[in-house]
Amino acid sequence: MGQEFCVSPPEAVRLPPVIVRKFPIEHLDPMTLLGRNDSNLRHIERALPVRITLRDGTITVAGDDEAVGSASRALKELVELAERGKMVEEADVATALGGRRNGDSHRLAESYEGAPGYSFDRKAVRARTPMQAEYLKALEDHDVVFAIGPAGTGKTYLAVAAAVQALRQKKVDRIILVRPAVEAGESLGFLPGDMQEKVDPYLRPMYDALADLMSYDKMRRYIELGVIEIAPLAFMRGRTLHNSFVILDEAQNTTVRQMKMFLTRMGVNSRAVITGDVTQIDLKDPDSSGLVRIQSILGGVEDLKFIYFHPEDVVRHRLVRDIIRAFDRYHARQNGRLEDGVGTSLDPEALSGQAEPEHAGESRAPAQEDAAGEDPARGPSL
């Protein structure tokens, strides 16, 4: 696909030759591929030193050989995605530019094959990134799924959507949404009201996700009947949850003991989804986070699935992805190890894609690593 030309400048200038490659897209809806105001093309131009123009149904990419090659590979993936009927989004562009993780040789378009989509009263829900597609497949195929990654990747929202779908199809009898009541760094003091009123501020994101999928009257009726229950983690102890779809959100703020308590609540015909971001731990002792240590504990248990999201999976405002990456660089400077929302000790494949720290040649101080090879910031490496 595409045509390539080489335009050499005058010899006296001694500039590298300009490579020009063309992609005909007359057969596609421009909005599907290019986004609003050609935002997807501008995204590629921000990421690579190329100039991209669209004229008479043809995209032209110009620049040096390496940059044009990278932009062309990304455009080929995005054109194929649009040919299959998917609206190309910024997250797709970021994924195409960043390459496939974990040595995945599948094309971008193939990543969405087999991923379920849901239609609700208020909107339709579908995967917007390849990792979201893998996540939705895992929610269908596994009884326990862990989703770990930065904010804005749809971990909680898609889990709630899968739970509502399972309830609608009568696969489960109720949905239970759970969060640890941990303050995010600031003290809220003693909150007024009864138990529900005290914990409501912590559980508000759960209500927001539900309200986005169903009418307020239906949500209120389900909550009143106990079909949907939203509760703090502390109230789970001693219960057995049969025929339930249970979601533990903000799991990075649980301890190992709390994680064990939650996972052992599962009864017959129940599913559990655990979501969290290990770079936003609000516990006084981050090393005690149950989400950080859970993979080493459950690594040998079958029928569990761990899904790792990364900054390119962020589907909020484009700046959220840039902000996360800026914090990644900050943490890399602080501790010499790069984290991107899954933690250096969690995603076994993430290490291969990490940049070398600024002082890679310097050895770590003995105080930073104990005899067991344990990283004080995140616990034992896997």
Side-chain angles (χ1 to χ4, degrees):
M1 179 188 296
Q3 303 173 356
E4 183 174 325
F5 306 90
C6 180
V7 181
S8 298
E11 185 175 348
V13 180
R14 293 183 180 179
L15 294 175
V18 176
I19 303 298
V20 178
R21 195 166 293 176
K22 295 180 178 290
F23 295 86
I25 60 166
E26 301 99 332
H27 60 298
L28 294 174
D29 176 7
M31 180 66 75
T32 300
L33 174 63
L34 308 178
R36 183 175 299 176
N37 298 324
D38 298 343
S39 60
N40 293 336
L41 298 184
R42 304 291 82 81
H43 188 151
I44 297 175
E45 287 183 325
R46 286 194 300 269
L48 296 168
V50 295
R51 178 170 177 78
I52 305 177
T53 56
L54 173 64
R55 180 175 296 177
D56 299 330
T58 300
I59 295 175
T60 302
V61 185
D64 64 55
D65 190 19
E66 183 178 356
V68 169
S70 298
S72 298
R73 285 190 293 272
L75 278 170
K76 286 179 181 178
E77 296 248 40
L78 299 176
V79 167
E80 183 179 2
L81 201 59
E83 288 174 341
R84 298 197 181 197
K86 184 185 185 298
M87 180 74 71
V88 177
E89 304 185 45
E90 282 196 5
D92 295 313
V93 182
T95 301
L97 287 170
R100 308 313 309 278
R101 286 185 178 268
N102 307 343
D104 188 356
S105 60
H106 291 90
R107 297 192 303 274
L108 179 61
E110 292 177 344
S111 301
Y112 290 94
E113 293 181 356
Y118 312 128
S119 295
F120 299 107
D121 298 343
R122 307 190 67 170
K123 68 185 304 182
V125 175
R126 56 180 174 77
R128 295 175 61 184
T129 72
M131 192 55 65
Q132 284 193 353
E134 184 176 343
Y135 184 34
L136 287 174
K137 295 174 192 175
L139 292 173
E140 292 283 323
D141 298 337
H142 298 272
D143 290 335
V144 179
V145 177
F146 291 84
I148 302 169
T153 51
K155 304 182 300 294
T156 303
Y157 188 86
L158 292 179
V160 172
V164 173
Q165 178 72 3
L167 179 66
R168 186 169 59 177
Q169 294 180 337
K170 302 186 184 305
K171 294 180 179 179
V172 296
D173 295 335
R174 57 180 172 168
I175 299 171
I176 302 176
L177 307 175
V178 183
R179 259 193 168 207
V182 176
E183 298 166 352
E186 66 276 10
S187 177
L188 300 180
F190 294 98
L191 296 174
D194 58 20
M195 186 276 292
Q196 192 63 44
E197 291 172 327
K198 288 179 186 293
V199 301
D200 266 358
Y202 298 101
L203 306 176
R204 180 54 53 185
M206 299 289 206
Y207 289 105
D208 293 343
L210 285 171
D212 206 34
L213 301 175
M214 63 179 65
S215 67
Y216 175 77
D217 289 340
K218 179 180 288 188
M219 181 179 72
R220 184 180 61 180
R221 184 169 68 253
Y222 280 162
I223 292 175
E224 290 174 350
L225 293 173
V227 175
I228 295 178
E229 179 182 350
I230 305 177
L233 178 61
F235 287 67
M236 293 295 104
R237 187 173 297 278
R239 301 181 62 181
T240 301
L241 307 174
H242 296 299
N243 301 309
S244 303
F245 199 118
V246 192
I247 301 172
L248 173 59
D249 192 29
E250 298 290 334
Q252 75 273 7
N253 290 327
T254 65
T255 65
V256 173
R257 290 178 181 272
Q258 288 174 321
M259 184 70 76
K260 176 184 177 182
M261 180 271 289
F262 172 80
L263 291 171
T264 54
R265 300 308 93 197
M266 288 182 63
V268 177
N269 191 40
S270 287
R271 303 182 189 181
V273 181
I274 300 91
T275 70
D277 176 0
V278 295
T279 67
Q280 297 193 43
I281 298 174
D282 298 316
L283 299 174
K284 292 182 179 179
D285 178 15
D287 292 348
S288 66
S289 171
L291 189 61
V292 169
R293 300 187 178 271
I294 195 63
Q295 187 179 5
S296 60
I297 295 172
L298 299 181
V301 179
E302 296 182 359
D303 204 28
L304 298 177
K305 182 69 173 179
F306 286 84
I307 300 291
Y308 299 99
F309 290 93
H310 299 271
E312 58 265 31
D313 298 303
V314 171
V315 292
R316 291 179 183 167
H317 193 288
R318 173 181 59 82
L319 285 175
V320 174
R321 189 182 305 116
D322 296 338
I323 289 169
I324 290 172
R325 286 179 170 143
F327 272 99
D328 293 345
R329 293 190 292 271
Y330 168 78
H331 290 303
R333 292 194 300 270
Q334 292 294 309
N335 58 29
R337 301 184 71 179
L338 181 62
E339 295 176 353
D340 65 355
V342 299
T344 53
S345 63
L346 284 178
D347 186 354
E349 305 294 343
L351 293 174
S352 61
Q354 290 182 358
E356 290 294 323
E358 292 183 1
H359 305 288
E362 300 178 8
S363 59
R364 298 179 62 191
Q368 292 180 325
E369 186 170 341
D370 62 18
E374 183 168 305
D375 177 7
R378 285 290 178 266
S381 297
L382 301 181

